[in-house]
Amino acid sequence: MQRNLTAYRVMATVVGVLLVVLCLIGVPLANFDGSPMWGVFDSTPMWVTPGSDAQDAGELITTYLGVAHGWLYMIFLLSAFLLSRRARWDLPFTLVTLLCGTVPLLSFWAEHRATRRVRAEHPELH
């Protein structure tokens, strides 16, 4: 089970960091130029100049990091699911752990919570 826990923790950390960079840096740089966004928002804050280097950097971050995050999130889901079966988590705990991987910063709390539970229920892993 130690391998499952380690794989889960690594993937949770990688996916969490990428999600924070994507949502808190990439999306604002790429989209916060005062224009409408995604057909949902009439306007965005005017934080970057359209066509600027900062906006180009945001576009690169959202394009490439977004794709990488998507693929790595699938690996995260698999590692979390395998750990949940091995550790015999109940369905609600498993679902919360999986869903928290989609929320910036909350994913770190979920990883800490899951690790604490696994170590408490399986003291041989210390």
Side-chain angles (χ1 to χ4, degrees):
M1 182 167 341
Q2 182 64 47
R3 288 177 59 190
N4 292 99
L5 179 60
T6 300
Y8 163 73
R9 294 187 73 202
V10 167
M11 290 312 302
T13 301
V14 168
V15 167
V17 169
L18 290 180
L19 189 58
V20 166
V21 172
L22 184 63
C23 292
L24 300 181
I25 298 172
V27 170
L29 285 177
N31 297 293
F32 287 7
D33 60 3
S35 65
M37 187 167 78
W38 303 327
V40 177
F41 304 104
D42 291 334
S43 68
T44 58
M46 183 67 176
W47 291 358
V48 295
T49 304
S52 67
D53 288 342
Q55 190 174 42
D56 291 343
E59 290 290 338
L60 288 173
I61 290 169
T62 57
T63 299
Y64 294 105
L65 214 58
V67 171
H69 171 72
W71 283 103
L72 291 170
Y73 184 70
M74 295 302 127
I75 298 169
F76 161 78
L77 286 177
L78 178 62
S79 66
F81 177 77
L82 292 174
L83 177 62
S84 76
R85 296 303 91 211
R86 191 86 189 263
R88 302 186 190 280
W89 293 344
D90 55 10
L91 186 60
F93 190 88
T94 299
L95 290 176
V96 167
T97 302
L98 296 175
L99 289 174
C100 283
T102 65
V103 181
L105 302 177
L106 194 56
S107 60
F108 299 110
W109 169 80
E111 182 274 325
H112 177 74
R113 173 179 167 258
T115 299
R116 187 177 59 231
R117 179 172 176 171
V118 168
R119 288 184 174 160
E121 293 175 355
H122 302 276
E124 71 276 7
L125 297 179
H126 288 283

